Amino acid sequence: MFSQTRPRFSDSSHDADTESTFTYASSERISVASYSDKGYLLQDLQKQKYPRSVFFIVGNEFCERFSYYGMRTILSLYLVDMLKYTEGDATLIYHAFTMLCYFFPLIGAIIADSYLGKFRTIFYLSIVYAAGNILVSAASSPLFGYDNQRSFSLFGLLLIAIGTGGIKPCVSAFGGDQFTLPQQAKQLAQFFSIFYFSINAGSLISTYITPILRHDVHCFGEDTCFPLAFGVPAILMVVSLLLFLAGKKLYICKEPQGNIIVEVSKCISHALVVSFKSKEKKEHWLDHAADKFDKTLISHTKAVLQVLFLFIPLPLFWALFDQQGSRWTFQATRMDGSLGWFTIKPDQMQVINPFLILAFIPLFDSFIYPSLAKCKLLVRPLQRLSAGGLLAAVAFIISALLEVRLEATYAVLPDVGQAQLRVFNGLECDVHMTSTLTSVSGNINALNALQITDISMQNSADYPLNFTTTPDCSQFPSQMFTGTVSLQEKQSVSIFLSSSSGVLAVSQVPGFDMIQKPDNGNPQIRVLYNLATFQSDLMFSQNGYKQNITLDKSRTSTPLVSIGKTGTFVATLGNSQVKADIELGSSGVYTLILEGNNNSTMGTLVTVTPPNSVHMLWLLPQYIIITAAEIMFSITGLEFSFTQAPVSMKSLISAAWLLTVSFGNLIVVIISEAKFFQSQVWEFLLFAVLMVIDMIIFIIIACRYQYYNPSDSETENVTKNSS
């Protein structure tokens, strides 16, 4: 079981506020016990009114967490779908952003404790935060022009990172400042319960809602509405700022009293300089700082350095864990999320982690840890940390195995030295095709296609094609006709056979074929039409849902169009229904061939790239395991960090813990940028292997670790400092 200093609540995403509130909650427990031992009456401890100011702080936290998680949930898909980054580059940007979010708390804590105080730090940085949200929302619309979308979006993300990171270590601590101890020790505990409920509520609601706003609403001529999906979190951040400001007259604001991080840094740097210059031998190199710093600070710094050394292998865990919002989200885009009447959005899968966290905490506390303890397993914190790291490796092995299965459903793309050709027959009879290219020949059924995906060629060239209709062709029996195709290396092109002008014609569809699966999960379809007379609009309908595709009478093809739903559709041209089976699956790429006229139209749906066939719920095993790993690693790590740090060093250890998250995301940035592998399978396995090696190193270090036991005088100091 956890010790009594374990926090009672956990944010679903190892939020930085967990660390700062953890310090307050644990100190409060010691205070209650200490004051009770000293004979304080219960009515003395509770006689003061509950401070109304904290409700403004709780409301502020709910809105801020809604804003942050709502924005971050859809960020990866925005980078790919709207800003047109590759998945690798989007992963790099996503983790660079997360890295900064967990680096700036160090700066925010120093500013609040040493210069501005908590209130002004929160207020000023919240303005920066809100400005970043507004800028990202505006940049996702045509407001600034598509040419400036990238630069404005990235600048907005930088402002958000500065804002959210800067206020992370301040908000919960500022809430704790509103209570008078020991009189309000129990009220303080209630505050942290409400505070963490607001964190989880904001996280869960926004993680569910923003993908719906992104996917189900259409705006500015797009099939998605990122401006709204980003705009709602931006509005919530403005509301958060206004709520915080509304309580100003009620707040208790404490003046800055100096930051221990700065003091420790000065102590360490002074000791290094003196030890380098001095020839005198000391028991510990930090003892060289005794000429300028007191012995207590030096002693506590020694204890902290032992913990910090143990932290060195820990960032790799966060490198794996935070890929839920990048690589695992991209993995979900290539899966089928349909559940009957409801379709899971790829970015909505991230909501599984906070739900499982809330379920797993009591499960581990009440059943798993006690059961393992009976077998003398995972009794000590460092053992649980090691097990959590190894479980993360298992989760990535599972994700690699799932990726192997997914790769069989991916689009077949032309490689170096290859080209692809698809010949679509818009005639009512079969056609035989020959050419000078040995691999380009065969029979093409009526209203069907011949897809050749492995044509060997270099650079680009034009090739003649010869066609012959079958003798039973009613309008053009046994007729020969020719055409030309322009092939290009690493590209796919299409040819369409038609007769709408009264003669047989061979036309190359403009541009190159887009055969890759879209990340938004929508099916993509284009129409090739051999129609004598027709209305300009082809309507797709399904249970009240309707979407038009305009047919240009001067052409025989449409561009690729995204359809907002999946399932079975009815196509209507003019007053007649198209005779065709139209079943569109998630992320499938299709071509619909039409032949006939306005009164009678036949059609065939050709699958160019198969839809997602592996269900999204197959992601559950890796999510379950990574969440169990988080319970063992993150929460246990918080407990260990707090109990192993001297009282005066709690904030320093909290900052160091946040930096492990930051450096973990930096690892993902480095590996993503290095592009070691073309296949995602091998990258997942690389992370798994690195995690195993990392945990072996951690276990070796942990075996030599000497547990720190705080003295009674330190406990007494906590009591005095809380009063």
Side-chain angles (χ1 to χ4, degrees):
M1 291 285 288
F2 284 131
S3 70
Q4 283 191 331
T5 54
R6 186 183 65 80
R8 292 187 297 275
F9 344 97
S10 170
D11 172 28
S12 58
S13 300
H14 62 273
D15 193 278
D17 291 324
T18 305
E19 285 80 7
S20 54
T21 307
F22 177 49
T23 303
Y24 269 88
S26 302
S27 299
E28 166 265 321
R29 290 186 174 202
I30 296 173
S31 300
V32 172
S34 301
Y35 282 111
S36 178
D37 290 342
K38 293 178 184 298
Y40 282 90
L41 295 176
L42 183 61
Q43 56 266 33
D44 293 330
L45 298 177
Q46 296 181 320
K47 62 184 179 182
Q48 294 198 8
K49 291 183 178 180
Y50 199 91
R52 290 183 298 161
S53 58
V54 300
F55 294 105
F56 293 97
I57 297 172
V58 168
N60 162 270
E61 184 66 11
F62 170 83
C63 295
E64 189 274 327
R65 290 294 84 189
F66 185 108
S67 176
Y68 176 74
Y69 285 112
M71 179 277 307
R72 202 179 75 162
T73 297
I74 60 174
L75 177 58
S76 293
L77 297 186
Y78 171 66
L79 294 171
V80 172
D81 293 347
M82 298 300 295
L83 300 189
K84 305 304 179 185
Y85 285 105
T86 64
E87 287 189 10
D89 290 341
T91 299
L92 185 152
I93 295 169
Y94 177 90
H95 288 281
F97 167 72
T98 306
M99 177 190 70
L100 291 175
C101 288
Y102 284 93
F103 173 78
F104 281 113
L106 183 65
I107 308 299
I110 294 173
I111 293 173
D113 291 347
S114 302
Y115 301 103
L116 297 179
K118 297 184 186 71
F119 174 81
R120 286 189 292 172
T121 301
I122 295 171
F123 177 64
Y124 294 149
L125 291 181
S126 291
I127 295 175
V128 175
Y129 193 168
N133 272 289
I134 294 170
L135 185 57
V136 170
S137 177
S140 64
S141 71
L143 183 63
F144 293 118
Y146 290 108
D147 293 339
N148 299 317
Q149 270 191 321
R150 283 190 174 186
S151 56
F152 280 111
S153 295
L154 295 181
F155 183 63
L157 290 176
L158 176 61
L159 294 180
I160 292 173
I162 294 171
T164 187
I167 69 174
K168 274 181 190 293
C170 303
V171 179
S172 59
F174 185 65
D177 287 345
Q178 308 309 305
F179 295 85
T180 303
L181 296 178
Q183 292 92 334
Q184 294 182 299
K186 285 196 173 183
Q187 288 93 330
L188 179 63
Q190 291 173 351
F191 162 71
F192 287 123
S193 296
I194 299 171
F195 188 84
Y196 269 95
F197 179 84
S198 70
I199 288 176
N200 284 293
S203 170
L204 290 174
I205 294 172
S206 64
T207 303
Y208 177 78
I209 288 179
T210 50
I212 295 176
L213 298 176
R214 171 193 65 81
H215 183 273
D216 294 350
V217 181
H218 310 304
C219 60
F220 298 108
E222 300 286 346
D223 296 321
T224 56
C225 195
F226 280 100
L228 178 63
F230 284 128
V232 171
I235 292 171
L236 265 291
M237 190 57 222
V238 174
V239 173
S240 171
L241 176 59
L242 295 176
L243 272 175
F244 182 73
L245 190 60
K248 182 179 180 182
K249 293 182 179 179
L250 302 174
Y251 294 142
I252 296 173
C253 299
K254 297 182 179 180
E255 292 299 318
Q257 297 178 347
N259 190 281
I260 192 64
I261 299 173
V262 176
E263 294 301 313
V264 170
S265 300
K266 290 179 179 178
C267 178
I268 292 174
S269 59
H270 180 72
L272 287 172
V273 171
V274 174
S275 63
F276 180 77
K277 295 180 178 179
S278 175
K279 296 181 180 180
E280 181 183 1
K281 298 293 183 181
K282 298 281 188 180
E283 183 179 351
H284 192 284
W285 61 271
L286 270 174
D287 292 331
H288 287 283
D291 62 327
K292 189 174 180 180
F293 296 90
D294 63 71
K295 293 183 179 180
T296 302
L297 177 63
I298 294 172
S299 174
H300 289 180
T301 304
K302 291 177 183 178
V304 165
L305 288 181
Q306 186 184 205
V307 177
L308 295 183
F309 182 71
L310 198 64
F311 277 6
I312 292 175
L314 301 189
L316 192 61
F317 174 85
W318 303 115
L320 276 66
F321 181 85
D322 277 338
Q323 289 189 60
Q324 292 178 77
S326 57
R327 292 299 194 193
W328 284 12
T329 297
F330 291 134
Q331 198 174 38
T333 64
R334 298 184 281 272
M335 304 178 75
D336 179 18
S338 59
L339 287 173
W341 59 273
F342 178 73
T343 299
I344 308 171
K345 313 297 187 293
D347 33 2
Q348 277 182 327
M349 286 300 294
Q350 297 175 54
V351 82
I352 291 175
N353 177 254
F355 272 122
L356 289 178
I357 279 287
L358 296 177
F360 278 8
I361 287 176
L363 178 65
F364 271 74
D365 278 356
S366 303
F367 178 73
I368 294 179
Y369 283 146
S371 300
L372 291 173
K374 291 178 181 178
C375 303
K376 297 183 178 180
L377 296 173
L378 304 186
V379 178
R380 300 177 74 84
L382 295 182
Q383 295 171 343
R384 295 175 185 175
L385 277 165
S386 303
L390 293 175
L391 278 179
V394 172
F396 265 67
I397 292 173
I398 293 175
S399 64
L401 295 175
L402 179 61
E403 188 69 20
V404 171
R405 188 176 174 188
L406 287 175
E407 283 188 347
T409 70
Y410 291 170
V412 179
L413 302 177
D415 206 345
V416 177
Q418 287 185 334
Q420 292 185 359
L421 172 64
R422 290 172 174 80
V423 182
F424 294 90
N425 183 7
L427 307 177
E428 59 179 355
C429 54
D430 297 351
V431 173
H432 182 73
M433 180 185 69
T434 60
S435 76
T436 56
L437 289 168
T438 55
S439 60
V440 181
S441 62
N443 290 318
I444 313 170
N445 294 332
L447 298 183
N448 217 313
L450 177 65
Q451 304 189 55
I452 307 168
T453 59
D454 56 353
I455 303 173
S456 298
M457 69 163 301
Q458 301 291 329
N459 300 320
S460 61
D462 295 341
Y463 298 95
L465 301 175
N466 302 309
F467 302 93
T468 306
T469 61
T470 55
D472 59 353
C473 187
S474 59
Q475 191 174 2
F476 305 100
S478 301
Q479 187 165 334
M480 298 180 62
F481 58 107
T482 61
T484 302
V485 61
S486 298
L487 296 178
Q488 185 166 321
E489 185 181 9
K490 297 183 67 177
Q491 297 293 346
S492 174
V493 299
S494 291
I495 293 292
F496 184 49
L497 311 181
S498 63
S499 61
S500 57
S501 60
V503 295
L504 295 172
V506 180
S507 58
Q508 183 162 336
V509 178
F512 299 114
D513 294 347
M514 300 295 293
I515 59 178
Q516 284 184 297
K517 291 186 176 184
D519 290 319
N520 60 15
N522 289 342
Q524 310 279 309
I525 189 170
R526 69 177 173 184
V527 183
L528 302 179
Y529 43 98
N530 181 29
L531 303 171
T533 59
F534 60 92
Q535 299 293 329
S536 60
D537 285 343
L538 176 68
M539 178 177 290
F540 284 79
S541 58
Q542 178 200 113
N543 299 327
Y545 173 84
K546 295 182 179 181
Q547 184 167 341
N548 283 352
I549 298 179
T550 300
L551 307 184
D552 188 342
K553 294 186 178 182
S554 64
R555 302 178 59 181
T556 57
S557 64
T558 70
L560 203 61
V561 176
S562 176
I563 304 297
K565 296 191 70 175
T566 60
T568 303
F569 289 83
V570 173
T572 305
L573 185 64
N575 298 321
S576 66
Q577 180 178 320
V578 176
K579 299 176 182 178
D581 296 324
I582 304 176
E583 180 75 27
L584 305 180
S586 175
S587 293
V589 181
Y590 305 91
T591 294
L592 177 62
I593 307 173
L594 299 181
E595 189 274 334
N597 53 51
N598 195 44
N599 297 319
S600 178
T601 305
M602 300 291 295
T604 301
L605 186 70
V606 177
T607 300
V608 176
T609 300
N612 298 337
S613 56
V614 180
H615 203 278
M616 209 175 289
L617 292 183
W618 280 105
L619 287 168
L620 281 177
Q622 62 200 57
Y623 270 97
I624 291 171
I625 293 175
I626 200 71
T627 304
E630 181 187 5
I631 294 289
M632 290 185 171
F633 192 94
S634 180
I635 297 179
T636 305
L638 292 175
E639 173 203 4
F640 173 82
S641 302
F642 185 83
T643 58
Q644 292 301 292
V647 172
S648 62
M649 301 291 176
K650 304 299 185 186
S651 60
L652 175 59
I653 290 298
S654 175
W657 181 264
L658 291 176
L659 287 178
T660 66
V661 182
S662 180
F663 288 132
N665 282 271
L666 178 61
I667 292 172
V668 183
V669 169
I670 293 171
I671 292 179
S672 176
E673 183 65 16
K675 295 180 173 64
F676 293 119
F677 309 108
Q678 293 295 323
S679 172
Q680 190 61 56
V681 173
W682 294 109
E683 185 173 302
F684 283 150
L685 289 176
L686 172 64
F687 277 107
V689 171
L690 290 177
M691 191 72 237
V692 172
I693 296 172
D694 185 68
M695 283 299 99
I696 292 173
I697 296 172
F698 177 77
I699 291 170
I700 293 172
I701 297 174
C703 288
R704 300 179 180 181
Y705 181 81
Q706 294 182 350
Y707 279 81
Y708 172 79
N709 295 313
S711 64
D712 293 337
S713 60
E714 285 192 1
T715 303
E716 179 69 18
N717 285 335
V718 174
T719 303
K720 291 178 179 178
N721 292 334
S722 300
S723 60

